[in-house]
Amino acid sequence: MLGFPNTMADQRVTPFCDQACRACPPLDELALALALELREDVDVAGARAALDELALPAMPAGGLTPQGQGYALLDATAHLRPATRGGGLGAFALDRVLATGTGHPSMLAVVQAEVARRAGLAMTTAGFGGRLFVVHRRGGPVPVVLEPGATQLTAPADLPDTLHWRCSHQVAFTVLGAAAAEASACGDLRRASRALELRLALPVDDETRHQLDRDLRALRARFN
């Protein structure tokens, strides 16, 4: 199994595979553990402090309407921008996304959902296929939705037909799939393979596990 020295890591971060086999952990902790699996150095303390700082101005919105909370979260994370394709795995590392303000859309959703949790806003992750959104849990018939990287709340007409709530394990599954594709496209087959290995550590059904095994074997064959 591949691994990297966690020279900047707070050792209190529970390893990814340990979190993957337990009840869904907090999203930030799972994302930090994922970053430690894919990069040599991760600023864990800096990432936690940055999330706290982003959440602070949104905290007074906890008593507002769902739409008011949505706008507060949008304002608190307005600086976030999608990373360009081919930028490497820094776009999937929580500390780098927070430091640069850019990341893969799935990681922007992670940041927004975690800021909402810290601020006491009733917003969390939902998804459709490989896309993630941040949605108010009590938005009613007109959902309050943030699409990562958007500058306005997403209009219902612009949403996929069906969104499903995503727990932290399901979010990690989406992030790892995108990270594996990015690493493979950049020719970094070692980290692409590691991302697929980590996907297999998550709770998935038998059919999905068989497909993941096939994908991993196919990627490893490219090493030979």
Side-chain angles (χ1 to χ4, degrees), residues 66 70 74 123 126 132-136 142-148 150 152-156 159-160 163:
L74 193 66
M123 304 190 73
L132 292 175
F133 300 82
V134 179
V135 183
H136 199 283
V142 180
V144 174
V145 179
L146 277 69
E147 183 170 6
Q152 297 291 332
L153 297 181
T154 301
L159 292 172
L163 286 176

Side-chain angles (χ1 to χ4, degrees), residues 64-212:
L64 298 181
T65 63
Q67 190 173 50
Q69 292 188 26
Y71 278 117
L73 181 58
L74 193 66
D75 288 344
T77 58
H79 66 291
L80 297 177
R81 294 291 181 268
T84 57
R85 185 74 185 272
L89 290 185
F92 298 90
L94 182 60
D95 64 320
R96 292 302 303 152
V97 173
L98 288 164
T100 64
T102 62
H104 187 271
S106 63
M107 284 305 302
L108 300 187
V110 168
V111 171
Q112 289 180 316
E114 186 55 31
V115 168
R117 185 180 74 85
R118 278 168 151 77
L121 310 182
M123 304 190 73
T124 190
T125 45
F128 177 82
R131 298 171 64 189
L132 292 175
F133 300 82
V134 179
V135 183
H136 199 283
R137 287 190 174 276
R138 298 187 295 275
V142 180
V144 174
V145 179
L146 277 69
E147 183 170 6
T151 58
Q152 297 291 332
L153 297 181
T154 301
D158 296 330
L159 292 172
D161 290 339
T162 305
L163 286 176
H164 299 282
W165 298 114
R166 296 286 192 244
C167 70
S168 58
H169 284 156
Q170 292 169 318
V171 170
F173 187 88
T174 298
V175 170
L176 283 165
E182 173 72 11
S184 182
C186 293
D188 192 346
L189 300 185
R190 182 174 64 143
R191 284 187 173 88
S193 175
R194 184 57 180 151
L196 293 181
E197 288 175 358
L198 293 172
R199 258 188 156 190
L200 278 165
L202 294 164
V204 295
D205 59 63
D206 289 341
E207 181 179 353
T208 301
R209 186 168 298 279
H210 291 322
Q211 182 60 54
L212 293 176

Side-chain angles (χ1 to χ4, degrees), residues 35-61:
L36 289 167
E37 294 281 356
L38 297 179
R39 294 179 62 245
E40 288 85 348
D41 300 311
V42 177
D43 185 1
V44 173
R48 289 172 172 159
L51 288 169
D52 288 341
E53 185 176 352
L54 289 176
L56 191 61
M59 286 180 180

